[in-house]
Structure formats: structure tokens, C-alpha cells
Amino acid sequence: MGFLAVLLALLLEQVRPLPRESALHEALHGYVGWCGRNFDAGRPHHAWVAWVAAVLMPAAVVALLYLLLERQGTVGAFLALAFDVAVLYATLGFRQFSHYFTDIRDSLERGQEDQARRLLAEWRHLDTSELPRTELLRHVIEHALLAAHRH
């Protein structure tokens, strides 16, 4: 079932990618920020508490929901598959950053540095008007790697 869920989620993402600034990602980002502000007081064990609240608890809730759905017989198996696809679809989101990266790379290959600067500024909300080409490339690579690491 896992392979089928990944395949369906990737196909769904190709047909209908999540928007770059989806409400779900904004909510999750807000929740993680809240966990950091409320549970991390700067000591190592506080960071662990924040991590448990931000990562482990939501993962446990998702796992519990999946198990509850799966145990509902034949219909539950299909519901669990649909739930798997929904969770994967919401968390994969590669296209949310890859379009900017691809467009910037293509602009640079065509020698359109102004277009690449405009796209980078739109993507990362930076002032790129004075960036030399080497700094522009550094920013694009750094942000692409950071975005890939998050997903």
C-alpha cells in the first residue's frame, strides 16, 4: 500500500500541485514557531521538548489516525490509502520551490540576469537588485538546497 500511496501522491502533485504559499504550510509553520517560542528556553533539554511537541506529537496523531482508519475493514483500507495519499501530498510539495529554481536556472542560462534576479526576489523576498552574478548563483543554490532539505 505504501508504494501505491507514494505513486498516487506524486501523480496528484504533478496534476495539481499545492500553491507555493498554501494555508496548510502556513498553519504548520505557525505551529512549529509556536512550539519553539513556548517550549524552547535555550537549554538542550528544552529543545528536545520543543522537537517532541513540533514533530513527534503530530507524527503520532497521524499514525494513530491511520491505524484507526485501517482497522475499519475493507472500506477502512481504502480510507487509510486516501489518508496516506493526502498526508504525502501535503508533505512532499517539491514543486513549491522547484519551479522558481528551474525558472531562475533557465534565465541564467539564457543570459537574462535581470529576470533571474526578479525571480529570486519574488521567491525569497530579498533585495537582489545589486547582487553580482556570483552572489545570485550562491543564493539560488543555498535556497534550493535548504528547500530540498526541508522536504
Side-chain angles (χ1 to χ4, degrees), residues 63-82:
L64 181 64
L65 287 173
Y66 175 80
L67 289 173
L68 290 173
L69 288 172
E70 189 179 47
R71 294 179 191 250
Q72 301 303 316
T74 305
V75 173
F78 288 109
L79 290 174
L81 176 64

Side-chain angles (χ1 to χ4, degrees), residues 100-119:
Y100 275 119
F101 179 75
T102 302
D103 292 345
I104 292 169
R105 184 200 64 211
D106 291 346
S107 295
L108 289 171
E109 284 179 356
R110 290 189 304 267
Q112 299 171 334
E113 288 184 29
D114 290 338
Q115 172 74 3
R117 280 188 187 83
R118 185 187 64 72
L119 290 167

Side-chain angles (χ1 to χ4, degrees), residues 7 13 15 18-19 21 36 38 41 47 54 65 68 79 96 106 111 121-122 141 148:
L7 179 65
E13 205 236 351
V15 173
L18 281 174
E21 303 294 330
N38 290 294
L65 287 173
L68 290 173
L79 290 174
Q96 294 176 20
D106 291 346
E122 183 181 312
I141 292 168

Side-chain angles (χ1 to χ4, degrees), residues 38-61:
N38 290 294
F39 296 116
D40 188 358
R43 304 194 95 191
H45 64 276
H46 294 149
W48 279 104
V49 172
W51 181 84
V52 167
V55 177
L56 200 57
M57 286 179 47
V61 169

